[in-house]
Amino acid sequence: MTDTSHVPAEVPPNAAGRPVGRRTVLFGTGAAVAGLAVGACTTSEPSPTATATATGDVCTLTKELTEGPYYLDGQLVRADITDGKAGIPLKLSLTVVDAGTCEPLPDALVELWHSDALGEYSGFVGRNGHDEPDNGTFLRGGVLTDSSGVAAITTVYPGWYRGRCIHIHVKVHTNVTPTSDGHFTGGQEIHTGQLFFDEKVTDAVARVTPYSTNSVTRTTLAQDSIYDEGGATSGLLTLTGTPSTGYTGTLTLGVER
């Protein structure tokens, strides 16, 4: 097993890494998207339907969050980023709006990356103490928003790694050019942030496989060095679903162009 004691933890804003100066608007979350029709991937069913709602005031400002140490350039433009990774299905519906006009922002690339059920990032497998195949692309990628500003992305519920609560990293780019090989070039990065998960939902997820095999101590939202208990204004998703059917997650991000 790999020794992870030397692994650099993600740093809070203004400490190191990407500067945190630009501010964005995060709108209150709306209704969840349609329910999932997915197969169970659990060995036990820990709870009835869980609904976690992250409420927030419309047009409330929130600061950007650190990029963290696991970003890789040049990822794929694709709606499904799972690459066959095991885990509870998660369908995200992220709406991007222009902070100045409150209008939907079409053709913006919403890019995500996060760890798998064992807390490992593609391209960096082993840093959370697990030995598994690493193709350098699993749970990475993004899509262009539609005419309503919505980016719909299919993934799995993330796992956790030492020192951080469960989260998903997100970037928003404008004016990118998709390439014939499925990647993108150019554009401007206008937002860097993170998405977070309600602890009641995560408690249920952590009791089923493969999440339950992750022996690393889990950091909660309250213990995290980056999440500031700001609810939707700090990136907390609205979640609906169960471990056996999967979850949907929604959030509306207002960004400054």
Side-chain angles (χ1 to χ4, degrees):
M1 182 172 292
T2 303
D3 178 8
T4 60
S5 61
H6 66 286
V7 178
E10 292 182 49
V11 293
N14 294 325
R18 175 173 297 277
V20 181
R22 188 162 66 245
R23 296 182 68 84
T24 63
V25 181
L26 183 63
F27 284 67
T29 55
V33 296
L36 297 172
V38 294
C41 60
T42 67
T43 56
S44 60
E45 180 61 31
S47 67
T49 300
T51 300
T53 302
T55 58
D57 295 333
V58 172
C59 295
T60 299
L61 288 172
T62 185
K63 62 180 175 290
E64 291 193 325
L65 297 177
T66 178
E67 177 183 285
Y70 298 119
Y71 182 68
L72 292 177
D73 287 315
Q75 292 304 307
L76 292 165
V77 178
R78 53 182 181 170
D80 188 331
I81 65 173
T82 56
D83 267 9
K85 294 299 292 185
I88 294 172
L90 173 66
K91 291 199 172 184
L92 294 170
S93 181
L94 304 174
T95 304
V96 181
V97 297
D98 186 310
T101 65
C102 294
E103 294 295 321
L105 191 60
D107 297 321
L109 181 75
V110 177
E111 182 184 13
L112 304 180
W113 70 102
H114 64 84
S115 67
D116 67 7
L118 298 181
E120 300 288 354
Y121 280 85
S122 56
F124 302 90
V125 167
R127 294 197 178 185
N128 203 40
H130 303 94
D131 183 17
E132 57 179 281
D134 188 356
N135 63 4
T137 64
F138 66 75
L139 307 178
R140 295 180 182 273
V143 297
L144 294 172
T145 55
D146 63 17
S147 60
S148 298
V150 176
I153 300 175
T154 298
T155 185
V156 298
Y157 203 100
W160 61 93
Y161 55 94
R162 196 180 312 278
R164 284 302 316 278
C165 68
I166 288 180
H167 62 283
I168 291 177
H169 295 272
V170 58
K171 284 182 183 288
V172 179
H173 310 257
T174 56
N175 301 318
V176 303
T177 301
T179 58
S180 59
D181 62 355
H183 297 269
F184 67 93
T185 61
Q188 296 81 44
E189 178 188 314
I190 62 173
H191 176 72
T192 299
Q194 296 181 23
L195 310 176
F196 297 96
F197 296 79
D198 185 270
E199 281 299 319
K200 291 181 180 179
V201 177
T202 293
D203 283 344
V205 169
R207 292 198 292 268
V208 301
T209 57
Y211 304 88
S212 59
T213 66
N214 186 354
S215 60
V216 173
T217 300
R218 184 166 64 83
T219 298
T220 65
L221 284 175
Q223 296 168 331
D224 192 69
S225 62
I226 293 177
Y227 180 70
D228 63 1
E229 301 295 329
T233 61
S234 296
L236 189 66
L237 291 161
T238 292
L239 296 168
T240 60
T242 69
S244 62
T245 62
Y247 290 96
T248 63
T250 60
L251 194 66
T252 302
L253 291 166
V255 296
E256 292 178 332
R257 285 202 275 187

